[in-house]
Amino acid sequence: MVKKIRNIALIGGTHGNEMTGVYLIKKFQKYPHLIERSSLKILTFLANPRAIEARQRYIETDLNRCFSREALDEPETFFYEQILAKNIDQKIRDHQTDLIIDLHSTTSQMGLTIIICDGHPFHFQLVAYLTSLNPNIKVLRYRYAQENLLLRSLTELGFAIEVGAVAQGVLDAALFQQTEQLIYHLLDGLEKYNQGDDFNGCKSLTLYQVIERIDYPRTGEDITAMIHPDLQFKDYHPLHPGDPLFVTFEGETIHYQGDCTVYPVFINEAAYYEKGIAMCFTEKQEIIL
């Protein structure tokens, strides 16, 4: 059983061109009563001010890859985002933060997605409660070797809210409002938890477990194929063996050669071209709580 959740960090602008989180934080800072809850102390801040001003994902390096303990303890730090990460880490510790909520958006058709890294029972219980309120919410469990680089890894309890599809540097009113409502439900749920509620007794949870990250076909650094039109904007849809996966610039279809059905996410995410990720394959799981 997790102790009561008292101190929360609600963060936007970890990537400076993801406007949903940026403007939600600005709204909450202008109207703090919207997120006030009697048992919660909520710290709101914009993570990367210079990138936000420039409407860029980052200035020198991806801030959301700067939070390993080794990097934070490194005395020789040169990049702007590395220095910023140290300042954020100190701010999180000074607040004695129990839970981090990091707001992101994506160019992929992810709808409302909550991303967790680990299998902490509290995470499962909380997101099951939220999906019971809004069945359109998807839960993505994204574990990989370098997950400790992420901002949300600064506390034991931390997750991201990822919404899309929305272009970089653009606000989408519907997604903004849906994300805002999700945050209110989340804070209400934490308030109930602190009062002894068991998240309505949710007994199961559907989640999507990332099992593989897929790059575009390449020759050297150049991609040689695109996401197939039949797959574009089909995040969380089943991809069966033999289904179209990529199409070359010459028009040749490359088919999925796996031996089981997967559910791709982050399909054709603009920011992932530089990371060598065309999509992530997931398997659909039912978790009994």
Side-chain angles (χ1 to χ4, degrees):
M1 176 68 71
V2 172
K3 65 181 181 179
K4 291 182 178 181
I5 305 298
R6 296 300 190 190
N7 301 319
I8 296 174
L10 182 58
I11 305 166
T14 302
H15 295 132
N17 57 4
E18 297 178 3
M19 295 292 101
T20 305
V22 169
Y23 279 91
L24 275 170
I25 294 301
K26 288 183 176 182
K27 178 173 181 174
F28 296 149
Q29 289 178 337
K30 185 175 182 180
Y31 305 107
H33 68 278
L34 294 173
I35 55 173
E36 287 176 355
R37 302 294 185 275
S38 62
S39 69
L40 303 175
K41 182 179 179 182
I42 302 174
L43 171 69
T44 58
F45 66 90
L46 296 171
N48 196 332
R50 282 179 55 188
I52 292 168
E53 183 178 2
R55 293 291 182 99
Q56 296 175 187
R57 184 173 174 85
Y58 54 80
I59 299 300
E60 294 181 300
T61 192
D62 190 339
L63 176 61
N64 210 30
R65 302 296 184 272
C66 292
F67 290 95
S68 71
R69 184 47 52 188
E70 295 78 10
L72 293 171
D73 291 339
E74 171 59 50
E76 297 293 329
T77 300
F78 302 101
F79 288 132
Y80 163 72
E81 276 84 6
Q82 292 173 331
I83 298 170
L84 200 55
K86 292 185 176 184
N87 294 335
I88 291 171
D89 177 51
Q90 188 62 54
K91 185 180 297 188
I92 293 296
R93 285 192 284 172
D94 290 345
H95 184 60
Q96 298 182 318
T97 304
D98 300 310
L99 174 69
I100 291 173
I101 305 165
D102 192 16
L103 304 178
H104 290 262
S105 58
T106 172
T107 61
S108 302
Q109 191 71 43
M110 301 280 283
L112 288 179
T113 293
I114 299 174
I115 303 178
I116 59 176
C117 287
D118 60 18
H120 198 293
F122 181 82
H123 282 151
F124 286 163
Q125 293 165 0
L126 178 57
V127 296
Y129 165 75
L130 293 171
T131 57
S132 75
L133 298 177
N134 183 353
N136 293 322
I137 294 171
K138 297 290 193 299
V139 180
L140 181 66
R141 188 179 179 191
Y142 195 169
R143 303 185 67 181
Y144 66 103
Q146 296 179 315
E147 65 188 38
N148 68 328
L149 302 178
L150 306 176
L151 193 161
R152 63 181 179 268
S153 70
L154 291 178
T155 57
E156 180 185 16
L157 302 177
F159 55 86
I161 296 175
E162 188 86 53
V163 301
V166 58
Q168 296 175 341
V170 171
L171 273 169
D172 180 290
L175 283 172
F176 181 96
Q177 292 170 347
Q178 292 169 31
T179 308
E180 182 179 8
Q181 192 61 49
L182 172 55
I183 292 169
Y184 296 150
H185 284 161
L186 195 161
L187 297 177
D188 290 342
L190 293 173
E191 180 89 333
K192 291 179 180 179
Y193 178 81
N194 287 340
Q195 295 168 358
D197 190 278
D198 64 350
F199 295 122
N200 292 348
C202 297
K203 301 301 182 184
S204 66
L205 169 68
T206 300
L207 63 76
Y208 295 82
Q209 170 72 59
V210 174
I211 56 175
E212 188 177 0
R213 298 191 291 180
I214 306 299
D215 195 5
Y216 298 88
R218 293 179 186 266
T219 298
E221 293 296 315
D222 288 335
I223 65 171
T224 58
M226 304 166 280
I227 300 295
H228 194 279
D230 290 350
L231 184 58
Q232 181 66 42
F233 296 128
K234 294 295 180 61
D235 298 76
Y236 295 111
H237 288 235
L239 180 71
H240 305 289
D243 284 350
L245 186 61
F246 297 105
V247 59
T248 70
F249 297 115
E250 293 73 33
E252 178 186 354
T253 295
I254 299 172
H255 298 274
Y256 169 52
Q257 299 297 315
D259 56 6
C260 64
T261 298
V262 294
Y263 297 79
V265 297
F266 283 116
I267 299 171
N268 209 17
E269 160 59 47
Y272 285 0
Y273 276 76
E274 69 178 48
K275 298 182 186 301
I277 302 172
M279 70 194 77
C280 299
F281 286 167
T282 75
E283 62 179 13
K284 192 175 183 179
Q285 300 178 347
E286 189 76 14
I287 304 297
I288 305 302
L289 303 178

